[in-house]
């Protein structure tokens, strides 16, 4: 008889059985690190699919019911719904249970936790796995989703150190590369490397579609067009919440981008080819030397 792994979670509660919540449950199951998985989602159809896929073993009628007896509670709901979920599960948490969210913004989530968790704030480990797909939903859940991907933890002063170490170990066991950041640094960083790029892709595609001949242009798009616009197909509700909850940092990045775009427009309008080449060279060389977290120098 083999020993039970130190990271073993006898009961996992997943609040929000979509892409991330479902993938987390499947990944723990594939690693042999979970016993029973109890799930709750607002959509009965999502729960049916989660049961059919084996992501959860049992469906709960409410968030509060799902967390009863759970050793780990994963909150995987839109960031705008996080506060109401935290309020609903607070009183049902086991004293030593880990409560972890996976929201894409962290300052608003931490502020919500401070408002509603009170004496249970020690149980809370804010997290953000940098993994996903353009297609959301439990149907696209994948046990390998987190392998080789960053998982950012943004603990606060009240976070229990033992629970924080447990969260690091769990994400590492799922193949993620764990890093810690402050909630403020997290939101500033991801406004720059994720939220603004999505906003630009949305705006660009809208501008294309808004042109009289836009529909005629689209079939002519090649690999560059495909790569640049891929994230424009992302889930509208998810990105509505991300861009609105992190609006201050997103707007700062918008201003920086406008300055950079103005610089390009200025040299093009003035016909300054040397300056134009210089601006392009800065970007080209910077992109050529970019190294993603834990990876090799990225290709073009």
């Amino acid at each position: 008889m083999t020993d039970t792994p130190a990271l073993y979670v006898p009961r996992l509660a997943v609040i929000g059985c979509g892409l991330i919540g479902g993938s987390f449950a499947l990944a723990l199951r594939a690693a042999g690190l979970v016993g029973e998985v109890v799930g709750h989602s607002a959509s009965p159809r999502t729960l049916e699919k989660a049961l059919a896929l084996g992501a959860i073993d049992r469906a709960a009628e409410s968030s509060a019911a799902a967390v009863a007896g759970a050793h780990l509670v994963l909150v995987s709901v839109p960031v705008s719904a996080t506060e109401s979920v935290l309020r609903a599960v607070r009183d049902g948490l086991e004293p030593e249970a880990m409560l972890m969210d996976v929201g894409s913004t962290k300052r608003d989530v931490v502020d919500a936790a401070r408002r509603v968790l009170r004496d249970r704030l020690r149980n809370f480990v804010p997290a953000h796995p940098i993994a996903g797909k353009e297609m959301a939903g439990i149907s696209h859940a994948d046990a390998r989703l987190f392998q080789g991907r960053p998982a950012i933890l943004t603990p606060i002063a009240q976070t229990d150190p033992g629970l924080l170490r447990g969260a690091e170990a769990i994400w590492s066991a799922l193949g993620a590369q764990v890093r810690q950041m402050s909630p403020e640094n997290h939101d500033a960083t991801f406004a720059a490397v994720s939220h603004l790029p999505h906003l630009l892709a949305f705006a660009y595609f809208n501008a294309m579609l808004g042109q009289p001949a836009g529909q005629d242009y689209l079939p002519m798009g090649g690999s560059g067009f495909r790569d640049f616009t891929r994230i424009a197909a992302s889930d509208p509700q998810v990105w509505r919440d991300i861009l609105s909850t992190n609006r201050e940092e997103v707007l700062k990045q918008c201003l920086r981008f406008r300055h950079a775009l103005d610089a390009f427009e200025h040299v093009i309008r003035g016909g300054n080819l040397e300056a134009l080449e210089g601006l392009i060279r800065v970007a080209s060389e910077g992109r050529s030397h970019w190294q993603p977290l834990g990876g090799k120098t990225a290709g073009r």
Side-chain angles (χ1 to χ4, degrees):
M1 181 175 174
T2 59
D3 294 334
T4 300
L7 300 179
Y8 188 76
V9 179
R11 180 178 292 172
L12 166 68
V14 179
I15 312 300
C17 301
L19 173 65
I20 300 298
S23 295
F24 185 83
L26 289 173
L28 275 181
R29 197 183 297 284
L33 296 177
V34 71
E36 183 184 30
V37 182
V38 182
H40 172 71
S41 280
S43 166
R45 187 175 180 183
T46 294
L47 288 175
E48 291 174 4
K49 289 183 179 179
L51 285 165
L53 289 171
I56 64 174
D57 301 302
R58 179 163 55 89
E61 62 184 12
S62 67
S63 298
V67 305
H71 302 80
L72 169 58
V73 177
L74 187 81
V75 177
S76 182
V77 299
V79 288
S80 62
T82 301
E83 182 166 354
S84 63
V85 170
L86 295 180
R87 182 179 291 107
V89 305
R90 177 190 62 212
D91 295 336
L93 282 176
E94 295 295 319
E96 297 304 317
M98 181 193 302
L99 173 62
M100 184 161 55
D101 86 303
V102 289
S104 297
T105 58
K106 302 286 23 135
R107 278 190 299 187
D108 58 311
V109 168
V110 166
D111 288 345
R114 289 188 172 118
R115 284 192 294 270
V116 303
L117 290 181
R118 301 195 298 268
D119 60 323
R120 298 304 180 93
L121 199 55
R122 63 174 294 275
N123 300 78
F124 187 51
V125 184
H128 178 200
I130 314 302
K133 302 177 181 179
E134 283 69 58
M135 304 302 292
I138 184 64
S139 298
H140 302 281
D142 183 352
R144 301 165 296 176
L145 186 67
F146 310 110
Q147 292 180 7
R149 305 299 302 164
I152 312 300
L153 303 181
T154 64
I156 54 179
Q158 294 89 344
T159 300
D160 181 271
L163 293 177
L164 176 59
R165 289 192 294 271
E168 291 176 331
I170 286 170
W171 285 110
S172 295
L174 301 187
Q177 300 178 25
V178 184
R179 296 291 187 275
Q180 285 192 33
M181 304 173 76
S182 70
E184 295 77 14
N185 192 28
H186 170 280
D187 286 2
T189 298
F190 286 95
V193 301
S194 175
H195 305 167
L196 180 69
H198 278 79
L199 179 59
L200 296 181
F202 300 143
Y204 167 74
F205 215 93
N206 285 352
M208 173 68 72
L209 294 178
Q211 298 181 46
Q215 293 291 347
D216 296 328
Y217 296 158
L218 287 176
M220 300 297 104
S223 59
F225 178 83
R226 178 200 62 210
D227 294 345
F228 182 75
T229 62
R230 177 181 61 83
I231 55 177
S234 297
D235 185 271
Q237 291 185 335
V238 168
W239 281 95
R240 174 202 65 191
D241 286 353
I242 292 171
L243 295 175
S244 61
T245 54
N246 199 27
R247 62 180 177 273
E248 291 184 9
E249 294 297 341
V250 170
L251 291 173
K252 289 178 185 177
Q253 292 301 323
C254 284
L255 184 59
R256 292 179 179 274
F257 175 75
R258 280 197 176 90
H259 289 161
L261 185 60
D262 286 345
F264 271 93
E265 290 180 356
H266 177 74
V267 297
I268 292 172
R269 188 174 290 112
N272 190 335
L273 300 185
E274 183 177 352
L276 177 59
E277 182 179 344
L279 291 174
I280 296 171
R281 188 177 305 281
V282 169
S284 178
E285 292 181 354
R287 177 59 175 78
S288 296
H289 292 93
W290 168 56
Q291 290 188 335
L293 183 60
K296 300 177 181 178
T297 300
R300 292 182 181 273

